[in-house]
Amino acid sequence: MELHNRSVSRDVRELGTLLGDILEEQTSAETFDTVESCRRAAIDYRNGDLESRTPLVDDLTGLSTDDQRVVARAFTTYFELINLAEERERIRTVRTAAQDGPVEDGIEAAVAELTAADGEIAREILDDVLIEPTFTAHPTEARRKTVKSKLRTIATALETLDERTLTDDERDRVWREIEAEVTSLWQTPQVRNRQPEPEDEARNVQWYLENTLFDVVGDVYDVLDDAIEAEFHEEIDVPKLFEFRSWAGSDRDGNPYVTPSVTDTTLQRQRSVVLDRYREQLERLAGVLSQDGSRIDVGETFRASLEADRDRLPDGARTAAAERYPNEPYRQKLKLMHERLRRVDDVRPGGYADAEEFVTDVETIAESLRTAGADSIVETHIEPLRRRIETFGFSLASLDLRDHRQKHTDAIAEALEANGIDYRERSETERVEFLTDAILQDDPVLDLGRTESLSAAATRVFTRFDRLADWQDEYGTQAIDTYCISMTEEPSHVLEVLFLADQAGVVSLPDHSGLDVVPLLETESALSGARRIMGTLFENEAYAQALDARGRTQEIMLGYSDSNKENGFLAANWSLYRNQRRLGDICADHDVTMRLFHGRGGSISRGGGPMNEALLALPNATVTGQVKFTEQGEAIAEKYANPRIAERNIEQMLNAQLRARKQAIERPTEPVREEWIDAMETMADAARAEYRDLLESEGFVRYFEQATPITVIENLDLGSRPASRSGERTVEDLRAIPWVFSWTQSRCILPGWYALATGIDAYLEDGGSVETLQEMYDEWPFFRTTLDNAALALTRTDPEIATRYAAMADADLRDRFLPRLIDEYDRATELITEIGRRETLYTREWLGESLDLRNPYVDPLHVLQVHLLDRDDRTDIEERTLRLTVKGIAAGMKNTG
C-alpha cells in the first residue's frame, strides 16, 4: 500500500519554483534574475565549476541596498519552506517504518525488551519512570510567531497533498492555498519590530502544550497499553509517565521583566487554557455517550456520583441537565461535569477542588461503561481523557521558579541587618547553622510582606516568596512547586531558599513542604564540590525534614551551557558524566531518590543532540527512572510543532528511559574500565587547559567581537532576557546562548569541538592507543555519544566560510587565532573519523544530503552578512537586512544557540 503521494525532492523543487514565481511577481524579472545569479554562482562554486566565490561576492556587494534586502529575504524564505519539506520527509519515514513493523526506538521495541524481565520487574520499571520535559523561554527562537503560524498552514497543506487521494481540481485548490500563504509569507516582516515580553514567551510555550502535546499524549499511552497487552499475559497497569513543566513566565534569572504579575498571568492563562480543552473533550464525549438509561444499568457508583453532582450544583444546572437529557444519564453527568469545570475559575460554589476530583468522575464513567459492556468506548474515548488529566492537571504545565543564588543571599542579609543580625559576614558554617535554626523554630524571623525599608532588589525576592504562598493556595501546590537556584556553590544557597519558603508559609516542617528546592550545579567548582554540598544538605536536620516531606526525592540540575563555556566541550562533558556518577553515589548513601534535571540547550555545545541517545548514555547509577530536561528555543518548534513528530519524540524518550531504567536495575553500575577513566582524565585535563588558554589569550575577546556577528545578535529581539548578565563584554559575563549563536552564524562552531583534538592527542602522546579509543567508542555509550555530538558540530562548521568572517578581524588577531582554530578543526575531524572507523564525520546519510542541499543556499547569506558587518556606517535598510541574514542563516543551519 502506498502511504504517500510525494517525495522530498518533489516538495523542494515545487516549493522552490513557487517561491521563484512569487519573487518575480512581487518584485521584478530583473530582481528574480539577480537572485538566480547568486544562487547559480553559489551552487557552481560548491560543485567545483567555479574556482572562487568572487562572482558571488561581486554580485552581492554590487547590489543596491534594496536588492540586497530582497536577496536576504529570498534565501531566508527558501529555507523556511525547505525546512517544511524536510519535516514532511521525517513524517514519511516515521509512517513507513511504522507500517513495516515496530521501529527500533519505538514503544513496542521497549516493551518487547521489558518482557525479558518478569511482570513484577516490568511494573517496577513503569512505576519508577517519570519524564519531565521542561520548556524554557531562553531566547533562541529566531522566527516571529506570525511567520510560524503561516508555515504551519503550509505544512498542513503539504500533508493533504502527500497523504490524501485528491482529484485534479482538489489538488489545484490546495496548491492555490499554498501559493496564497507563501505570498502572504513573502509580504510579512521577518524581523520583529519589538523585543518579546515574558508574556509572549509564555504564550509561545502554551501554544505547543495546548495545540500539540495535549492531543498526542493520549495516543502515546494508547500505543503503550496495546504493546503491553500484546507482550504480557498478566495485567499491568500503566501509571503516569509524563509531566510537562515550564520556565516561561517564572524564570527570573537575569530577567528583570519577569515580575510576580507576569507569573500570576501565566498561571491564570494556563489554567484557563487547559480547562477549555477539558470542556471541549466533555462536549465531544456527549456526542458519544448517548446511551438510553432505561436499557442499561449504569451501576450504583455512577448513580451515587450523579446524585452528588445534582446536590452540589444549584437548581438551574441540575434542571438543565435533566430536561435536556431526560433518559440519558451519561450526558446528564457530562453536563454537570462541564458546569463544575466552569466553576473552577469562578467565585460560585460547586467547582472541582482539584484535578483528582475530575479524574475520579472520569473513572466512575469508565467503570460504569465497562459494566455495561462498552469497553471499546472506554478505550477509545475515556482512557485518553483520563491520561490527559493525569498529565496536565488543572495547570497545563507546572511552573519552575528560578533565580541567581546571590539575589537570595543579598536579600536575606539586607533584611536581617535591619533586625540587628550580621548575616553577610558570617562564615558558611555559621550561615548554615543560623538558617537551620531559623527554619526549625516555630516563630517567623522575617515578615516578607513588610518591604518598605528594603532595596528594590530585596523587595522583588521577598514579594516573590510572599506571592508563592498565594499562588499555591489559588492554583494548587502542583502548579508551582519547584525553585531552581542558578550558580549554586554552597549548601547555604539551598537553605536560603528553604528559609524564605518557610517564612512565606510554603514550608512548615516537619509535616509539610510545598517546594522542591533544586540546586543548579554548573561551574567546575560546584560540580567537583557536589559531595560536600549535597552531603551537608542531606545530613542537615531542617533539610532532611523537608526531604522527608517531599518523599525523599532530590532534584539536582546540571548546567550544560555554562559548564561548556567555562571548560570547553570535552572537559565539560567528562565533568558532567563523572559528577553525575558521584551524585548518584551520594544520594544512594543517604537513601535519597535522585532526579537529575539536565539543563540542555539546542546546540551540541549546550547539551543538545538526539535526546534518546543522551538518555541511554547516562551513567546507570543516575538512572532512577525520573528524569527532567529543558527544551529550548528552535528545538521546541522542531520537536513539537507537528503532532506526528511530537508523538515520535515522546515515544523515543519513553523507549530510552524504559530501557535505561531496566539496565540500571540489572546493572546498578555499568562496567567502565579503569584505563578508560584514566584516558578520559588525561584527555579532559589537556582539553580544559587548551580551551582556557584560548579564552584567556590576550586579544581573543576582541577577535570574537570582530570575527562573529555578536554585536548584531546582542541587539536582536529574540527574547525578553538581556544578552549578558551585567552588560560587560567578557566571555564569563556573556550568556551561553549568544556565545554559541555567534560562532554558529560564522560557521566556526568551536563551542562544540574546540580542544577535543588536543585532549585526544595528549592521551596518545602519553602512551595511549587509537585501538583503545576505538574500543571505548564501540563499547561505552558516553564516549560514543560525546564523539558523535562533536562530529555533528564539526559537520556544520565550514572553515572556508569562517575564514571570510575572520578577515574582518585585525590582521594580528586573525593571524594568531584563525590558524589555531582551523588546525584544531582539521585534527578533530581526522581523529573522529579514525576512531569511529568511518569516512565521514556524520553517521546518518540524510545529514550529509541535507548539508549538500543547504550549503549553496546559505553561502549568499554568509557573504552578504560579512559584507554588511564590515561596513562602519550602515543605513537603516542595511541594518534590517543584516538582521535578516541572521534569521536566514539560523533557518539554513536549523540551529541558533
Side-chain angles (χ1 to χ4, degrees):
M1 179 178 69
E2 290 293 331
L3 295 178
H4 305 101
N5 305 317
R6 300 174 63 82
S7 65
V8 66
S9 59
R10 182 178 179 184
D11 285 340
V12 169
R13 183 178 67 253
E14 293 185 359
L15 287 171
T17 300
L18 174 61
L19 177 60
D21 292 342
I22 291 171
L23 169 64
E24 185 170 6
E25 177 185 291
Q26 295 292 311
T27 56
S28 67
E30 292 77 12
T31 303
F32 171 78
D33 290 341
T34 296
V35 173
E36 275 294 287
S37 176
C38 293
R39 185 180 73 87
R40 285 194 299 268
I43 292 173
D44 289 346
Y45 177 72
R46 287 281 182 175
N47 290 341
D49 297 328
L50 286 176
E51 292 183 0
S52 74
R53 284 196 172 92
T54 300
L56 175 61
V57 175
D58 290 344
D59 279 349
L60 287 169
T61 57
L63 294 176
S64 68
T65 55
D66 286 336
D67 282 345
Q68 287 177 344
R69 191 177 182 191
V70 170
V71 168
R73 172 177 283 277
F75 284 102
T76 298
T77 306
Y78 174 80
F79 281 122
E80 299 281 18
L81 296 176
I82 295 320
N83 287 345
L84 294 182
E86 289 196 352
E87 176 185 271
R88 177 105 294 271
E89 181 66 8
R90 289 171 64 191
I91 295 170
R92 288 189 194 100
T93 302
V94 170
R95 295 184 77 227
T96 302
Q99 178 71 6
D100 293 340
V103 293
E104 182 180 351
D105 53 1
I107 288 178
E108 294 92 340
V111 172
E113 191 167 320
L114 292 185
T115 58
D118 59 33
E120 201 57 42
I121 295 296
R123 288 190 186 89
E124 179 185 347
I125 292 169
L126 288 166
D127 286 340
D128 289 345
V129 167
L130 180 64
I131 302 169
E132 299 183 84
T134 302
F135 298 96
T136 77
H138 289 355
T140 57
E141 174 56 82
R143 293 175 298 183
R144 295 180 62 212
K145 183 179 179 181
T146 301
V147 171
K148 288 189 292 184
S149 176
K150 294 181 182 301
L151 292 171
R152 278 298 100 214
T153 301
I154 298 168
T156 301
L158 287 174
E159 177 183 317
T160 299
L161 291 172
D162 192 34
E163 297 183 15
R164 287 182 54 191
T165 301
L166 304 173
T167 66
D168 291 343
D169 286 344
E170 289 170 337
R171 191 178 302 107
D172 290 344
R173 191 177 304 121
V174 173
W175 264 111
R176 284 198 299 273
E177 292 172 2
I178 293 175
E179 181 180 359
E181 205 63 42
V182 175
T183 301
S184 177
L185 179 65
W186 176 262
Q187 295 175 341
T188 298
Q190 285 272 355
V191 180
R192 293 186 181 101
N193 56 17
R194 66 173 180 86
Q195 185 176 12
E197 297 176 352
E199 289 92 340
D200 299 322
E201 295 165 337
R203 278 192 291 267
N204 180 58
V205 166
Q206 288 162 17
W207 189 93
Y208 296 103
L209 292 162
E210 175 188 4
N211 294 288
T212 302
L213 290 166
F214 185 88
D215 293 317
V216 304
V217 159
D219 297 334
V220 172
Y221 277 109
D222 191 37
V223 173
L224 179 61
D225 286 333
D226 288 347
I228 288 175
E229 184 177 346
E231 292 286 349
F232 287 90
H233 301 295
E234 53 190 302
E235 186 173 340
I236 297 180
D237 293 327
V238 176
K240 182 174 82 169
L241 301 172
F242 296 97
E243 184 175 296
F244 295 96
R245 306 187 71 92
S246 175
W247 282 9
S250 58
D251 177 14
R252 284 145 171 80
D253 182 22
N255 193 338
Y257 309 116
V258 180
T259 63
S261 176
V262 169
T263 304
D264 192 60
T265 300
T266 302
L267 287 165
Q268 175 60 42
R269 186 185 298 113
Q270 288 189 173
R271 184 163 74 175
S272 177
V273 162
V274 79
L275 291 177
D276 282 346
R277 289 307 315 268
Y278 291 144
R279 286 193 288 266
E280 290 172 10
Q281 296 281 303
L282 294 186
E283 289 165 7
R284 290 195 185 98
L285 269 180
V288 176
L289 302 185
S290 55
Q291 285 84 345
D292 185 345
S294 65
R295 297 177 59 187
I296 62 171
D297 181 7
V298 296
E300 187 56 40
T301 302
F302 179 87
R303 279 193 290 272
S305 176
L306 180 57
E307 191 58 38
D309 279 351
R310 289 169 175 161
D311 293 340
R312 182 180 291 111
L313 293 169
D315 291 343
R318 185 168 63 241
T319 302
E323 289 180 352
R324 186 169 182 181
Y325 308 113
N327 296 309
E328 297 169 289
Y330 294 128
R331 283 181 163 178
Q332 287 186 30
K333 176 67 177 174
L334 292 170
K335 179 72 174 176
L336 296 173
M337 290 169 65
H338 192 285
E339 181 63 24
R340 293 191 68 189
L341 283 174
R342 286 184 60 211
R343 292 169 183 250
V344 169
D345 247 350
D346 202 311
V347 296
R348 294 174 296 173
Y352 286 109
D354 50 40
E356 286 71 24
E357 281 192 357
F358 187 29
V359 168
T360 298
D361 268 356
V362 172
E363 289 175 338
T364 297
I365 294 174
E367 178 188 344
S368 175
L369 287 168
R370 290 190 191 282
T371 302
D375 291 66
S376 61
I377 294 177
V378 173
E379 299 304 323
T380 304
H381 298 287
I382 308 299
E383 275 301 297
L385 174 59
R386 181 177 70 85
R387 295 297 191 184
R388 290 181 180 109
I389 303 168
E390 288 178 341
T391 302
F392 298 99
F394 282 173
S395 57
L396 188 64
S398 302
L399 295 187
D400 288 6
L401 291 162
R402 183 175 77 133
D403 207 347
H404 194 284
R405 44 96 173 168
Q406 194 62 46
K407 300 291 182 64
H408 314 125
T409 303
D410 290 345
I412 290 172
E414 184 180 333
L416 289 177
E417 186 177 3
N419 286 271
I421 302 171
D422 188 357
Y423 179 81
R424 198 179 302 277
E425 295 303 317
R426 295 191 179 202
S427 67
E428 171 63 18
T429 301
E430 291 169 336
R431 288 184 180 185
V432 168
E433 290 175 355
F434 171 81
L435 294 167
T436 303
D437 292 341
I439 293 167
L440 292 175
Q441 76 176 35
D442 293 333
D443 295 331
V445 177
L446 299 173
D447 183 349
L448 301 186
R450 300 192 62 180
T451 59
E452 300 85 358
S453 61
L454 298 180
S455 66
T459 298
R460 281 194 292 269
V461 172
F462 279 27
T463 302
R464 179 188 320 150
F465 280 90
D466 196 34
R467 292 294 299 278
L468 176 58
D470 297 334
W471 292 328
Q472 291 196 346
D473 287 342
E474 173 70 17
Y475 301 102
T477 300
Q478 180 64 24
I480 183 164
D481 65 347
T482 299
Y483 199 112
C484 183
I485 310 160
S486 60
M487 289 293 173
T488 299
E489 296 282 344
E490 300 290 347
S492 65
H493 298 150
V494 178
L495 289 174
E496 285 168 353
V497 169
L498 187 64
F499 165 72
L500 289 168
D502 173 74
Q503 301 300 292
V506 172
V507 170
S508 180
L509 301 178
D511 302 319
H512 173 71
S513 176
L515 203 64
D516 281 331
V517 185
V518 181
L520 169 49
L521 309 180
E522 47 195 329
T523 65
E524 181 59 29
S525 61
L527 288 166
S528 61
R531 176 167 286 278
R532 173 183 58 82
I533 296 169
M534 301 313 303
T536 300
L537 290 170
F538 293 157
E539 293 168 9
N540 178 272
E541 183 180 359
Y543 199 78
Q545 289 185 19
L547 265 181
D548 289 340
R550 300 294 291 179
R552 295 199 66 75
T553 296
Q554 175 65 56
E555 184 174 307
I556 303 171
M557 185 173 184
L558 301 174
Y560 288 70
S561 301
D562 283 288
S563 177
N564 178 286
K565 189 158 67 72
E566 179 187 13
N567 302 294
F569 175 78
L570 184 63
N573 274 274
W574 176 238
S575 177
L576 287 163
Y577 178 87
R578 183 187 59 203
N579 286 295
Q580 284 177 63
R581 296 182 70 178
R582 185 179 300 165
L583 287 167
D585 293 340
I586 296 167
C587 290
D589 291 345
H590 291 85
D591 191 28
V592 171
T593 298
M594 179 175 67
R595 176 170 59 240
L596 281 181
F597 183 4
H598 301 275
R600 297 161 51 93
S603 62
I604 294 300
S605 59
R606 298 181 54 240
M611 176 60 69
N612 54 322
E613 294 179 10
L615 292 174
L616 286 167
L618 295 175
N620 285 1
T622 72
V623 182
T624 62
Q626 299 186 39
V627 67
K628 187 173 173 182
F629 46 84
T630 52
E631 298 280 29
Q632 303 182 17
E634 77 287 339
I636 296 176
E638 186 172 340
K639 291 182 180 180
Y640 301 109
N642 185 288
R644 284 175 172 160
I645 292 177
E647 183 176 349
R648 171 69 172 148
N649 271 288
I650 294 172
E651 286 192 2
Q652 287 179 309
M653 293 175 197
L654 183 56
N655 169 286
Q657 194 63 2
L658 290 172
R659 292 167 56 202
R661 182 57 186 150
K662 179 175 179 287
Q663 292 172 12
I665 290 174
E666 293 173 343
R667 292 186 303 177
T669 303
E670 72 272 29
V672 179
R673 299 181 204 169
E674 282 301 318
E675 66 172 317
W676 294 358
I677 293 175
D678 292 342
M680 281 305 310
E681 290 288 352
T682 299
M683 288 187 279
D685 287 347
R688 181 184 294 108
E690 170 62 22
Y691 177 80
R692 293 305 310 174
D693 184 70
L694 175 70
L695 263 60
E696 293 163 7
S697 294
E698 177 66 30
F700 179 72
V701 172
R702 281 191 293 125
Y703 176 77
F704 168 63
E705 289 178 326
Q706 295 172 7
T708 76
I710 179 59
T711 55
V712 180
I713 287 170
E714 283 180 323
N715 294 316
L716 280 176
D717 295 324
L718 294 181
S720 66
R721 192 172 71 166
S724 68
R725 290 181 169 87
S726 68
E728 297 295 325
R729 178 61 60 74
T730 65
V731 173
E732 290 75 18
D733 185 72
L734 191 69
R735 292 192 179 278
I737 292 168
W739 164 253
V740 177
F741 197 174
S742 300
W743 290 113
T744 302
Q745 287 276 305
S746 62
R747 299 296 287 276
C748 182
I749 314 176
L750 69 85
W753 49 260
Y754 188 80
L756 173 69
T758 296
I760 294 175
D761 280 337
Y763 162 73
L764 295 174
E765 291 165 6
D766 195 42
S769 69
V770 170
E771 290 74 22
T772 299
L773 295 174
Q774 290 173 335
E775 288 177 357
M776 292 166 64
Y777 182 85
D778 292 339
E779 301 175 27
W780 192 8
F782 158 75
F783 189 67
R784 181 171 59 253
T785 300
T786 300
L787 259 60
D788 285 350
N789 284 340
L792 290 175
L794 286 162
T795 299
R796 291 184 170 94
T797 297
D798 188 323
E800 188 175 347
I801 293 293
T803 299
R804 299 197 70 85
Y805 283 84
M808 295 186 293
D810 295 340
D812 62 321
L813 297 177
R814 181 178 63 249
D815 293 343
R816 284 167 52 202
F817 292 113
L818 181 62
R820 183 173 178 178
L821 299 179
I822 291 180
D823 286 349
E824 189 72 21
Y825 165 86
D826 288 339
R827 182 61 177 148
T829 300
E830 178 185 339
L831 286 167
I832 287 179
T833 52
E834 182 178 10
I835 293 168
R837 301 184 185 91
R838 56 183 189 253
E839 295 182 1
T840 62
L841 282 167
Y842 49 83
T843 57
R844 297 171 175 83
E845 192 64 34
W846 62 263
L847 177 59
E849 294 172 355
S850 177
L851 287 170
D852 288 343
L853 172 69
R854 289 167 177 276
N855 276 333
Y857 292 83
V858 184
D859 289 350
L861 292 169
H862 285 302
V863 170
L864 186 53
Q865 186 178 94
V866 169
H867 169 68
L868 294 172
L869 283 171
D870 210 24
R871 292 179 66 85
D872 293 329
D873 297 313
R874 292 187 290 269
T875 66
D876 288 343
I877 291 179
E878 288 176 326
E879 196 67 45
R880 288 196 293 272
T881 301
L882 180 56
R883 292 183 172 210
L884 188 54
T885 64
V886 173
K887 312 275 182 157
I889 292 169
M893 297 291 293
K894 298 184 76 171
N895 195 265
T896 53

